Amino acid sequence: MTQSSQSQEYAYLIKRAGHAAIIAASLLIIVKLVAWVMTGSSSILAALTDSLMDVTTSIINLFAIKIALQPADKEHRFGHGKAESLAGLAQAAFISGSSIFLMINGISALINNQQIHASSVGISVMIFSLLVTLALVLFQSYVVRKTNSMAIKADALHYRTDIMLNGSVLLAIILASYGWHWADGVFAIGVSLFILYGALGNWYPIY
């Protein structure tokens, strides 16, 4: 394969990965919004907020990718590749902010002993969210293996934490449906700490 064809494949794959992340996150925002309205679940609201953050970071990511693919010019003699690393740093910051929101939301649910309604809807939506996120991460991992893109690598790490988040929310709703309403808040706090730990560890490795 020539260098030109390799460059074209690289550009094609990372653009597709960027678009896939935005589409997946947008779809999950819609279904999680419906689930939150129907259930009143604090953990689903946290998951919905996380998906909103996902869309924001993925848009930043795609913008950075397009900049990075531009050829070198007088101001950037060695190209624009640094934009990918900056996108990874921005994602780490967004993930940190999202985790803090999750923690506050979980504490509020515990204090108010918030109960969940229509738990079957919440369970179905979170299973769907898990499957969509897993499919996205598998595709992103494939793109990373083929391109070693720093931006897609950071995005994939981001969405891998979402698998844990969605799984924990699913478990919380199942427990709450059996009367353990405290699980909604406890799991939101636990996931927030996990995500914050991952985000803090991602500040420097992206370089």
Side-chain angles (χ1 to χ4, degrees), residues 47 126-127 129-130 133 160-174 187 191:
M126 295 317 300
I127 290 175
S129 299
L130 269 171
T133 306
R160 279 198 293 271
T161 64
D162 282 359
I163 293 177
M164 175 67 73
L165 184 149
N166 290 326
S168 297
V169 172
L170 173 61
L171 181 57
I173 297 172
I174 292 173
F187 275 76
V191 171

Side-chain angles (χ1 to χ4, degrees), residues 138-207:
L138 289 174
F139 178 59
Q140 288 176 323
S141 298
Y142 166 77
V143 172
V144 169
R145 288 196 302 271
K146 298 286 288 186
T147 66
N148 199 34
S149 166
M150 293 301 295
I152 302 303
K153 187 179 295 184
D155 217 26
L157 173 63
H158 179 185
Y159 283 101
R160 279 198 293 271
T161 64
D162 282 359
I163 293 177
M164 175 67 73
L165 184 149
N166 290 326
S168 297
V169 172
L170 173 61
L171 181 57
I173 297 172
I174 292 173
L175 291 175
S177 69
Y178 284 98
W180 297 354
H181 303 294
W182 53 265
D184 196 33
V186 168
F187 275 76
I189 295 171
V191 171
S192 73
L193 292 173
F194 174 81
I195 293 176
L196 181 60
Y197 174 79
L200 292 177
N202 195 41
W203 281 98
Y204 298 105
I206 58 173
Y207 292 100

